[in-house]
């Protein structure tokens, strides 16, 4: 009996507990609160309403949504109104489905007719059916809500709300500074406005430049790829490059020591060489014709000794007169660069007047008639004794041609060979 009694107590306790829970739920759902039930027929937007959603009239909470029924094309909402506000709600009232905030839940906003607050319709009562607001403003507002819903789902309302809240907190108490900044921005824009045409032109030119760079992009990319190859080569050859740099540093140190020791000498050498180099530079136009003349002279020499025989033309000219008292040897000729007929000089050579310090001033004239001034027996023996040691033969075996060539030279006469 005791066991049965304990079990009955347990069952009674569970029953009481279940009754209390049910009573609490019923109280929360206002099952014992007197209400006036009406029905709202709305489009698919009504599916977004949750049970227990608020019902308001001009911002005053007058009831709540008890249930939502949808058939795919429209939604039927069961609304429970507070009896104390029913006599303020006309029977021809309409409803709008609006969000409490930008990201808040929706509620039902009861909209009385626009003709006046003193509607001629009777107050609403239990069992009445009201419809969604179909005025132009209502339709546009509902369309805005329909279009805004996908956007709100995309931008993640929770994160955006947190961002806006943080932004609002950051701006709190900084209105004056923001106003000053806006004023400054306005002044900057006023100053910038006259330069807008130039700015527009610059942007247009920038587009042209960008187009040029776009056309050159393949070449630029090729250069970059080549640069990558070069960089890899440098990395692979870094040891050799480091050795070369160390060698360069050593050479630089040696060069520095050499310059420290010989810098003054190099400067002096440059100063001393400058007049000579200037002279070489002045007569540089003669170098091409001189070199061409030497080339032609080589060919003439080969022709003179062709066949094992010497073919010469001996020109005897008047010997240059000796210096007289008051005359000093000098080279003061200022005629400048002159090829003198090179590379094809005239034969015989024309008279050239040079400022050498003599009164005659230049080479002598050729003797008229080809006067023979050489090749006497005495001259033959004298020239032979001078030339024999050079030629390595006895004096009596020196050929007569040596006398013809060296005899005039010994007397100061010019000899030309062609």
């Amino acid at each position: 009996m005791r066991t049965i009694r304990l079990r009955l107590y347990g069952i009674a306790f569970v029953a009481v507990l279940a009754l209390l829970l049910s009573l609490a739920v019923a109280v929360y759902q206002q099952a014992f609160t007197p209400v006036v039930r009406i029905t709202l027929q709305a489009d698919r937007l009504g599916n977004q309403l949750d049970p227990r959603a608020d019902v308001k009239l001009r911002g005053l909470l007058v009831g709540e949504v008890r249930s939502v029924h949808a058939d795919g094309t429209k939604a039927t909402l069961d609304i429970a109104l507070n009896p104390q506000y029913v006599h303020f709600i006309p029977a021809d009232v309409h409803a709008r489905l609006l969000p409490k905030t930008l990201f808040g839940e929706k509620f039902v906003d009861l909209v009385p007719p626009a003709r006046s607050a003193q509607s001629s319709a009777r107050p609403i009562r239990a069992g009445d059916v009201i419809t969604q607001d179909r005025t132009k403003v209502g339709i546009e507002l509902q369309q805005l809500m329909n279009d805004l819903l996908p956007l709100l789902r995309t931008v993640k309302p929770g994160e955006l709300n947190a961002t806006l809240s943080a932004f609002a907190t950051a701006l709190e108490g900084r209105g004056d500074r923001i106003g000053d900044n806006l004023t400054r921005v306005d002044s900057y824009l006023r100053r910038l406005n006259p330069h807008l045409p130039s700015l527009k032109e610059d942007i247009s030119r920038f587009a042209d430049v960008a187009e040029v760079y776009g056309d050159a992009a393949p070449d630029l990319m090729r250069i970059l790829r080549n640069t990558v190859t070069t960089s890899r080569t440098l990395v692979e050859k870094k040891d050799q490059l480091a050795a070369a740099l160390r060698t360069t540093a050593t050479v630089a140190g040696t060069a520095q020591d050499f310059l420290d020791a010989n810098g003054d000498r190099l400067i002096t050498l440059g100063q001393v060489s400058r007049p000579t180099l200037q002279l070489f530079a002045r007569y540089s136009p003669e170098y091409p014709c001189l070199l061409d003349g030497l080339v032609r002279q080589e060919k003439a020499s080969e022709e003179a000794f062709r066949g094992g025989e010497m073919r010469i033309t001996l020109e005897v000219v008047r010997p240059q007169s000796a210096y007289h008292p008051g005359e000093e040897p000098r080279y003061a000729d200022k005629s400048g660069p002159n090829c003198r007929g090179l590379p094809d000089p005239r034969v015989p050579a024309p008279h050239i007047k040079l400022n050498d310090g003599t009164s005659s001033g230049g080479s002598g004239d050729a003797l008229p008639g080809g006067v023979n001034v050489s090749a006497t027996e005495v001259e033959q023996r004298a020239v032979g004794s001078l030339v024999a040691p050079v030629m390595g033969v006895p004096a009596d075996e020196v050929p007569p041609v040596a006398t013809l060539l060296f005899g005039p030279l010994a007397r100061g006469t010019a000899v030309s060979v062609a």
Side-chain angles (χ1 to χ4, degrees), residues 377-388:
E377 292 181 1
V378 177
E379 188 176 37
Q380 176 72 26
R381 290 194 299 270
V383 172
S385 63
L386 294 174
V387 177

Side-chain angles (χ1 to χ4, degrees), residues 89-315:
I89 304 174
D92 55 355
V93 72
H94 298 289
R96 294 176 182 173
L97 308 182
L98 303 176
K100 292 182 178 179
T101 61
L102 181 61
F103 305 105
E105 62 179 354
K106 288 183 173 57
F107 69 98
V108 178
D109 184 30
L110 300 179
V111 182
R115 54 183 178 269
S116 66
Q118 301 295 330
S119 176
S120 59
R122 61 174 176 79
I124 197 169
R125 56 193 176 191
D128 286 348
V129 178
I130 61 176
T131 59
Q132 194 172 348
D133 186 11
R134 298 299 178 183
T135 62
K136 182 178 179 180
V137 176
I139 294 175
E140 292 178 353
L141 187 60
Q142 297 301 327
Q143 185 64 38
L144 175 63
M145 293 296 104
N146 290 334
D147 297 338
L148 186 61
L149 179 62
L151 176 62
L152 296 179
R153 290 177 176 175
T154 303
V155 299
K156 298 180 179 180
E159 297 179 2
L160 182 59
N161 187 27
T163 302
L164 293 178
S165 298
F167 187 70
T169 303
L171 295 179
E172 186 178 0
R174 294 177 174 83
D176 295 337
R177 296 182 180 179
I178 295 174
D180 294 339
N181 292 333
L182 293 177
T183 303
R184 292 178 182 178
V185 170
D186 179 69
S187 63
Y188 293 154
L189 293 177
R190 290 179 184 273
R191 296 177 184 177
L192 181 63
N193 190 43
H195 301 285
L196 287 180
S198 300
L199 182 60
K200 181 180 179 181
E201 184 178 358
D202 293 340
I203 294 175
S204 177
R205 293 182 179 179
F206 178 76
D208 297 337
V209 174
E211 184 177 357
V212 172
Y213 276 106
D215 296 336
D219 297 333
L220 295 176
M221 295 303 297
R222 189 179 303 107
I223 293 173
L224 292 177
R225 287 193 294 270
N226 295 338
T227 303
V228 172
T229 303
T230 303
S231 300
R232 290 176 179 173
T233 303
L234 291 176
V235 172
E236 294 174 356
K237 304 294 183 180
K238 60 181 181 180
D239 296 335
Q240 294 88 334
L241 182 60
L245 293 177
R246 287 193 296 269
T247 304
T248 303
T250 304
V251 172
T254 304
Q256 183 178 1
D257 296 339
F258 174 79
L259 293 176
D260 291 340
N262 302 282
D264 295 337
R265 296 187 180 92
L266 293 176
I267 295 174
T268 303
L269 176 62
Q271 294 174 348
V272 173
S273 303
R274 182 172 183 178
T276 305
L277 295 176
Q278 288 177 343
L279 182 62
F280 286 158
R282 180 185 178 190
Y283 285 91
S284 60
E286 289 185 4
Y287 300 158
C289 59
L290 174 62
L291 296 176
D292 290 341
L294 293 176
V295 173
R296 292 178 182 269
Q297 180 63 31
E298 180 184 7
K299 296 180 180 178
S301 299
E302 293 177 356
E303 183 66 22
F305 291 95
R306 179 170 52 86
E309 298 179 356
M310 180 181 293
R311 295 172 175 80
I312 65 174
T313 299
L314 181 61
E315 178 187 351

Side-chain angles (χ1 to χ4, degrees), residues 327-384:
E327 295 180 341
E328 295 179 357
R330 65 181 181 271
Y331 186 78
D333 187 71
K334 304 296 182 182
S335 59
N338 192 333
C339 286
R340 309 297 184 187
L342 290 175
D344 297 314
R346 290 172 54 189
V347 179
H351 172 70
I352 300 174
K353 182 175 179 59
L354 299 175
N355 185 4
D356 58 357
T358 62
S359 57
S360 59
S363 61
D365 298 328
L367 292 176
V371 178
N372 186 4
V373 295
S374 298
T376 62
E377 292 181 1
V378 177
E379 188 176 37
Q380 176 72 26
R381 290 194 299 270
V383 172

Side-chain angles (χ1 to χ4, degrees), residues 30 35-38 55 62-66 78-82:
Q30 298 181 356
V35 294
V36 177
R37 291 182 174 271
I38 62 173
V55 178
V62 296
E64 64 180 7
V65 177
R66 289 295 176 89
D78 183 15
I79 296 177
L81 298 177
N82 193 329

